[in-house]
Amino acid sequence: MNNGLPESSPDLDNLCVNTIRTLTMDAVQKANSGHPGAPMGLAPAAYALWTRILKHNPANPIWHDRDRFVLSCGHASMLLYSLLYLSGYELSLDDIKNFRQWGSKTPGHPEFGCTPGVETTTGPLGQGFANAVGMALAERHLATHFNRPGCKIVEHFTYVLCGDGDMMEGIASEAASFAGHVGLSRLICIYDDNHVSIEGNTDITFTEDVALRFKAYNWHVQEIDDGNDLDAILSAIEAAKAEIEKPSFIKLRTHIAFGSPNKQDSSSSHGAPLGKEEVRLTKRNLGWPEDADFLVPESVLKIFRQSAVKGAAAETRWRKKFEAYRSQYPDLAEKWTHAVNNSLKEGWDSQLPDFLPTEGSIATRAASGKLLNAIAEKIPALVGGSADLAPSNNTLLKFSYDFQKNMYDGRNIRFGVREHAMGGILSGMALHKGLRPYGGTFLVFADYMRPSIRLAALMKLPVIYIFTHDSIAVGEDGPTHQPVEHLACLRAIPNLTVIRPADATETAMAWRLCMQMVDRPVAMILSRQNLPIIDRTRYAAAEGLSKGAYILSDSPSKPDIILMASGSEVHLVLAAQEILAQKRMFARVVSMPSWELFEQNSQEYKDNILPPGITARIAVETGIALGWERYVGNKGDIIAMCNFGASAPGETVMEKFGFTADNVVQKAMNLL
């Protein structure tokens, strides 16, 4: 016996469950901040899954064929931290005691890269669910591509734990619809149906039949009335694992803050500590020593840490299997290694198309499509699609077929009109490892996926976003489809590299660059309208794009003025430079496709491109001016949008809003 607690069966299951509950209560109470209720209600399901079913190795949290576990309701983070500590991951009891403190491994919501064993950053509800769909998608694609009869090197499940908030967020509905359509049968969702949100009982806002909704999404659905019934939980999970046609949804009726005499089933336990007295009363109610803080019985550790033994054995078996696979299928094994390490095989860019001025004009979206196909031929891990806009985004891999149910090795993913889910799914694909995901839509719809982009940047995931129809030059579709503030919004996201190439040659350089960026997402901003291919025998080489900004065309002597622009507007300032030269006013033209890349340079390089002594400067971009002030200075000018666009032919819209070479010249003359 330990502090009056049982050390032997049949009470050990209950002891393990209550250890999770009391660790949660104590950590939240000590931090005086957090969400104790959901972990207390979910403790039985989490215990059953982690000790009886989940394939994982605490000694190696990134073993490739582990099961993935996603806590989508990230506010319940103490549930995950308790599981990780008890199972033997690199997380100590002191880390639990430092919950939500500066520099700890136990932040308020799970953060990928901060805590060993955390598969994704969750907190914004619904995101984890979409990430899990992406992980399950990656598993199906890799399994179909790499597995061979008698030698399956990809054979795992993705589990996601969700709450009412996840079910309310639209991203979860989008992702669930997609997952049901393609039949991701190794995806298993456990829904914490506790009937409580921050504002009170969910019946004030959320009365739909969630189980029926998921049946309509073509999921395999089970319902459990008692969240403490371990046998029912285990049986449901095993039935879900046996389902081979559909993803599985387990609706689990739980009680938030289970065991708390005064706060069970109350919204007051959702986002605040129970309080010292209520913690004491709850421990008494659970048969726990009232004054024992952070108590972990040895018998509980012994049970949980069997995971380390079982996990190490499972990984050893997998490694032996992979060595046999390598011997039998050496080419596939090499492809696997490159894929999971995000490495580029030598010669990956050897067949990229050249773009010559004699070929005429080409939209950067069209150039991107040619480049994407050439790169994907060499890099099998490059997989993605579009939010129902593939013909417009030029994101279709012409040599492959669609990723569909029972056609999981297809590399064209039809995300449908589901931008937000697409963003979350792309992140899940990247988190899984083995795929380099890309996704496309119109730039104006980046708003729909901004939360997903933000989290990808937070996690430093190598996701490629292809945003086309990049300006008011979209034309007749009007202001609803003409992005104005979107470049500024994307540039505001830390660790997201935004690249807006001026022509096909810069687009080629952008693709070369983004394929080598494995520590951040990249957003490529591409034109709908055709743009002239810049003559690189006359102007600077497109390799300058790698610096973020470069001198595309300089003046014969010290410049009187600097003209800078990104994307299609670079052509305007080149034309303006020629007109100014005829007036004996000499301009330097700077192509500035990426602020983020430019800021990574030394101050010496930046001063060479934009000499401090030249204060006459004009920036030109078909978006809002926000941010350009840092480059034009107090004495410069900006030709930008100060309103939404208008419905008219693209050339007309550009002219009416002042995006002409003549207007650039007039502004320059005013400055000079």
Side-chain angles (χ1 to χ4, degrees):
M1 302 288 289
N2 186 335
N3 290 286
L5 296 173
E7 293 282 343
S8 59
S9 296
D11 297 318
L12 276 179
D13 285 339
N14 194 48
L15 188 66
C16 290
V17 169
N18 285 336
T19 299
I20 296 172
R21 288 171 171 149
T22 56
L23 278 177
T24 293
M25 289 189 292
D26 289 341
V28 172
Q29 192 62 46
K30 184 175 185 293
N32 196 30
S33 175
H35 302 71
M40 294 169 69
L42 281 167
Y47 163 67
L49 176 62
W50 275 64
T51 60
R52 310 284 177 84
I53 293 176
L54 196 70
K55 182 175 67 171
H56 63 122
N57 183 7
N60 184 11
I62 59 173
W63 163 43
H64 294 305
D65 202 39
R66 69 191 182 279
D67 288 339
R68 270 59 170 182
F69 175 81
V70 174
L71 183 69
S72 189
C73 45
H75 57 272
S77 58
M78 263 311 303
L79 175 68
L80 180 53
Y81 299 148
S82 297
L83 294 167
L84 293 170
Y85 158 65
L86 293 170
S87 299
Y89 284 78
E90 192 180 333
L91 199 70
S92 68
L93 192 57
D94 284 339
D95 291 321
I96 299 294
K97 294 177 181 178
N98 285 324
F99 178 57
R100 289 189 165 219
Q101 303 309 301
W102 178 268
S104 75
K105 291 183 180 179
T106 50
H109 293 80
E111 295 181 23
F112 175 73
C114 174
T115 314
V118 170
E119 298 282 6
T120 181
T121 297
T122 55
L125 293 173
Q127 282 286 339
F129 185 94
N131 293 166
V133 172
M135 294 175 187
L137 184 159
E139 187 277 336
R140 286 291 77 203
H141 178 84
L142 293 170
T144 306
H145 184 75
F146 286 104
N147 286 352
R148 292 297 181 267
C151 202
K152 296 181 178 180
I153 61 170
V154 183
E155 196 173 21
H156 56 264
F157 290 84
T158 300
Y159 298 92
V160 57
L161 205 53
C162 296
D164 289 305
D166 293 288
M167 293 298 102
M168 293 185 210
E169 286 286 0
I171 186 175
S173 297
E174 293 181 24
S177 175
F178 173 83
H181 168 71
V182 295
L184 298 178
S185 61
R186 286 179 169 259
L187 173 62
I188 299 172
C189 174
I190 299 175
Y191 164 40
D192 177 25
D193 179 29
N194 64 29
H195 294 195
V196 173
S197 62
I198 291 176
E199 293 184 350
N201 194 287
T202 52
D203 63 10
I204 64 174
T205 184
F206 190 55
T207 54
E208 68 191 50
D209 188 330
V210 179
L212 194 60
R213 167 154 64 107
F214 272 75
K215 287 179 182 177
Y217 288 148
N218 204 32
W219 284 55
H220 173 247
V221 177
Q222 302 174 80
E223 299 186 54
I224 301 174
D225 294 329
D226 181 3
N228 291 311
D229 189 338
L230 292 178
D231 289 337
I233 292 167
L234 289 167
S235 295
I237 296 174
E238 290 295 349
K241 289 179 66 177
E243 169 61 47
I244 61 172
E245 293 293 328
K246 303 176 180 180
S248 287
F249 185 81
I250 301 171
K251 182 182 177 184
L252 183 67
R253 178 68 174 102
T254 65
H255 295 275
I256 195 169
F258 180 86
S260 172
N262 300 300
K263 295 195 174 182
Q264 179 174 313
D265 295 326
S266 168
S267 61
S268 63
S269 67
H270 183 283
L274 297 180
K276 290 183 179 179
E277 179 60 17
E278 189 65 17
V279 168
R280 187 180 65 80
L281 293 174
T282 304
K283 288 179 178 178
R284 178 194 298 176
N285 197 35
L286 294 173
W288 202 263
E290 296 178 24
D291 299 322
D293 293 335
F294 299 99
L295 173 62
V296 181
E298 286 298 321
S299 55
V300 170
L301 278 181
K302 184 177 180 180
I303 288 175
F304 270 96
R305 296 200 171 171
Q306 290 173 1
S307 299
V309 178
K310 292 187 292 185
E315 182 178 351
T316 297
R317 289 193 297 272
W318 181 85
R319 291 191 178 280
K320 290 181 179 178
K321 185 190 299 184
F322 186 76
E323 287 308 313
Y325 182 88
R326 190 198 305 275
S327 177
Q328 193 169 356
Y329 307 104
D331 291 343
L332 281 174
E334 183 184 12
K335 286 182 181 179
W336 167 268
T337 300
H338 280 294
V340 298
N341 291 326
N342 253 331
S343 58
L344 298 172
K345 191 174 181 180
E346 186 176 352
W348 69 272
D349 57 351
S350 61
Q351 295 182 2
L352 298 191
D354 292 322
F355 298 98
L356 302 174
T358 53
E359 297 173 7
S361 299
I362 181 173
T364 52
R365 62 166 176 162
S368 171
K370 294 176 183 290
L371 292 156
L372 170 63
N373 272 268
I375 294 170
E377 286 270 18
K378 293 284 189 177
I379 302 178
L382 192 58
V383 176
S386 173
D388 196 51
L389 291 169
S392 293
N393 297 148
N394 286 263
T395 52
L396 196 68
L397 301 183
K398 297 178 181 179
F399 58 85
S400 185
Y401 45 88
D402 290 351
F403 179 98
Q404 294 287 353
K405 187 172 184 178
N406 299 322
M407 295 172 58
Y408 297 125
D409 54 342
R411 294 170 63 184
N412 289 308
I413 302 174
R414 306 290 188 173
F415 288 105
V417 188
R418 304 184 182 102
E419 289 90 355
H420 199 178
M422 177 177 73
I425 291 169
L426 292 172
S427 291
M429 294 164 65
L431 286 160
H432 183 280
K433 302 293 186 185
L435 298 182
R436 185 70 191 274
Y438 68 88
T441 187
F442 293 171
L443 177 58
V444 76
F445 301 138
D447 283 348
Y448 279 124
M449 53 194 297
R450 180 178 170 82
S452 299
I453 298 171
R454 180 180 185 272
L455 283 176
L458 180 61
M459 292 187 275
K460 302 179 180 179
L461 302 179
V463 178
I464 300 168
Y465 305 107
I466 300 171
F467 294 124
T468 68
H469 296 58
D470 69 341
S471 74
I472 59 172
V474 167
E476 292 89 347
D477 281 338
T480 61
H481 283 55
Q482 293 171 6
V484 172
E485 74 277 21
H486 299 76
L487 271 169
C489 289
L490 291 174
R491 287 169 177 155
I493 300 175
N495 207 53
L496 173 68
T497 297
V498 181
I499 306 176
R500 187 175 183 234
D503 73 336
T505 54
E506 280 196 2
T507 305
M509 191 62 207
W511 265 107
R512 289 178 187 273
L513 202 62
C514 80
M515 289 305 300
Q516 298 173 64
M517 289 184 181
V518 295
D519 62 346
R520 72 195 68 182
V522 181
M524 282 198 283
I525 315 299
L526 306 170
S527 75
R528 176 198 188 192
Q529 75 274 27
N530 288 342
L531 300 175
I533 299 172
I534 296 172
D535 185 352
R536 299 295 169 171
T537 64
R538 180 181 177 189
Y539 299 109
E543 281 73 13
L545 177 138
S546 65
K547 296 290 188 179
Y550 65 105
I551 301 169
L552 178 62
S553 178
D554 214 352
S555 61
S557 58
K558 181 182 177 181
D560 299 309
I561 191 170
I562 297 173
L563 307 178
M564 63 189 89
S566 74
S568 54
E569 291 76 75
V570 170
H571 302 275
L572 294 181
V573 295
L574 278 175
Q577 181 194 41
E578 293 189 6
I579 298 172
L580 286 169
Q582 295 169 8
K583 300 176 182 293
R584 307 303 297 170
M585 299 178 190
F586 299 109
R588 167 180 291 182
V589 170
V590 173
S591 177
M592 202 163 192
S594 176
W595 294 4
E596 296 79 19
L597 293 176
F598 184 60
E599 291 301 330
Q600 292 175 14
N601 293 294
S602 67
Q603 190 61 46
E604 181 184 8
Y605 178 84
K606 290 189 284 187
D607 287 347
N608 182 57
I609 302 300
L610 304 175
I614 303 176
T615 58
R617 303 177 180 185
I618 296 177
V620 186
E621 189 172 72
T622 51
I624 62 173
L626 184 65
W628 279 107
E629 299 90 346
R630 78 177 80 171
Y631 299 121
V632 300
N634 293 331
K635 298 182 179 179
D637 201 353
I638 305 169
I639 300 175
M641 294 293 294
C642 59
N643 208 324
F644 297 109
S647 180
E651 291 181 1
T652 301
V653 176
M654 293 284 279
E655 178 184 355
K656 295 296 184 182
F657 282 104
F659 293 97
T660 65
D662 287 341
N663 190 38
V664 175
V665 169
Q666 185 60 54
K667 296 284 186 182
M669 292 175 65
N670 292 343
L671 282 181
L672 295 175

